């Protein structure tokens, strides 16, 4: 296995719509950083520009990774290109709505206090469903690709499948809480905290609850399997130069299957922990 750096020109040609969205996410991340410095408004216990920053960073990593995966495809490449384009459009719109609501000083998620807020939240739900479906198409295409290194091939396949599970776990957050069901009128539907109200004490940067469960944790851990597992596979490949045992492709494959199983177990663990109302 050999690895070599790629130029920005090569990255640009992986999948232009996804790389364009990656560039806009980078720009939004910078704007959000400025907002964190100059805008002292708070929303649900956190700086108002923290959420756009986190989503911009997360989507940047996700779309660049997908662009790279699509560049590796030989079978169904046209279908993969269109699926990637759907991810680019829906991801751009999703994060754009989050940024717009932050600028307005409004919650983007769970907010149904006004007809406009409810329409935005509903549209975001539709967009993320379409994005998830397009990512599923890419996962299916990855299953039928022939790659020279089986360890890398199965790392990418399993990583994307776990990522889809992590994305799907986000739907647990849109279930109304008992307090919300009893409220009249209803202004919020769903929450990321379990057992405690949203906006309470949280971890630095992530904001994950330190007093109750937090469904953002399994959502985050699951979504980023697509980065964590390939990075581990690349690390093992680089170590093969020093450790002859790792030069055997079957050994690397078995290690990555075990790693993927362990990662899936971690996602299950933090999901169970969050649903129990237990902080990380």
């Amino acid at each position: 296995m050999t690895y070599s750096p790629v130029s920005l020109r090569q990255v640009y040609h992986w999948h232009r719509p996804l790389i364009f969205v990656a560039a806009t996410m980078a720009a939004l991340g910078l704007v959000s950083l400025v907002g964190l410095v100059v805008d002292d408004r708070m929303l649900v216990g956190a700086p108002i520009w923290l959420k756009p920053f986190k989503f911009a960073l997360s989507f940047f990593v996700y779309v660049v990774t997908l662009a790279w995966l699509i560049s590796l495809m030989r079978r169904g490449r046209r279908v993969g290109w269109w699926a990637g384009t759907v991810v680019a459009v829906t991801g751009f719109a999703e994060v754009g709505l989050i940024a717009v609501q932050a600028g307005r000083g409004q919650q983007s998620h769970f907010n149904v206090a006004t007809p406009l807020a409810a329409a935005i939240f509903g549209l975001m739900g539709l967009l993320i469903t379409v994005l998830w479906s397009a990512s599923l198409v890419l996962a299916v295409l990855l299953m039928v690709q022939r790659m020279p290194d089986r360890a890398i091939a199965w790392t990418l396949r399993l990583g994307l499948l776990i990522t889809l599970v992590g994305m799907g776990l986000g739907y647990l957050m849109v279930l109304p809480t008992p307090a919300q069901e009893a409220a009249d009128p209803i202004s919020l539907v769903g929450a990321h905290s379990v057992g405690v109200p949203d906006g309470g004490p949280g971890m630095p940067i992530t904001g994950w609850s330190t007093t109750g469960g937090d469904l953002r944790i399994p959502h985050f851990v699951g979504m980023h399997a697509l980065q964590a597992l390939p990075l581990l596979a690349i690390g093992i490949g680089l170590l093969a130069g020093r450790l002859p045992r790792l030069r055997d492709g079957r050994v690397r494959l078995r290690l990555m299957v075990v790693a993927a199983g362990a990662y899936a177990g971690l996602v299950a663990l933090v999901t169970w922990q969050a649903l129990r109302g237990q902080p990380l």
Side-chain angles (χ1 to χ4, degrees), residues 82-162:
W82 279 109
T85 302
V86 171
V87 171
V89 172
T90 53
F92 179 85
E94 179 84 7
V95 181
L97 289 172
I98 291 171
V100 167
Q101 286 295 77
R104 297 177 65 235
Q106 300 287 323
Q107 279 186 256
S108 52
H109 289 83
F110 319 132
N111 186 359
V112 294
T114 66
L116 177 60
I120 290 175
F121 182 41
L123 178 58
M124 289 174 63
L126 175 62
L127 288 169
I128 204 66
T129 300
V130 174
L131 186 150
W132 188 91
S133 301
S135 298
L136 178 61
V137 171
L138 292 173
V140 172
L141 288 175
L142 269 178
M143 289 295 175
V144 300
Q145 300 301 315
R146 288 183 179 178
M147 299 184 187
D149 191 289
R150 293 181 64 211
I152 289 292
W154 278 101
T155 297
L156 298 178
R157 292 164 182 165
L158 296 174
L160 187 50
L161 287 176
I162 296 172

Side-chain angles (χ1 to χ4, degrees), residues 196-219:
V196 295
D198 285 354
M203 294 173 59
I205 303 177
T206 63
W208 296 337
S209 177
T210 55
T211 57
D214 199 315
L215 292 166
R216 291 175 297 182
I217 299 170
H219 185 52

Side-chain angles (χ1 to χ4, degrees), residues 244-261:
R245 181 69 172 148
L246 296 179
R247 295 171 191 167
D248 188 334
R250 292 170 300 178
V251 171
R252 294 197 306 275
L253 174 60
R254 291 167 185 164
L255 285 172
M256 291 314 305
V257 170
V258 169

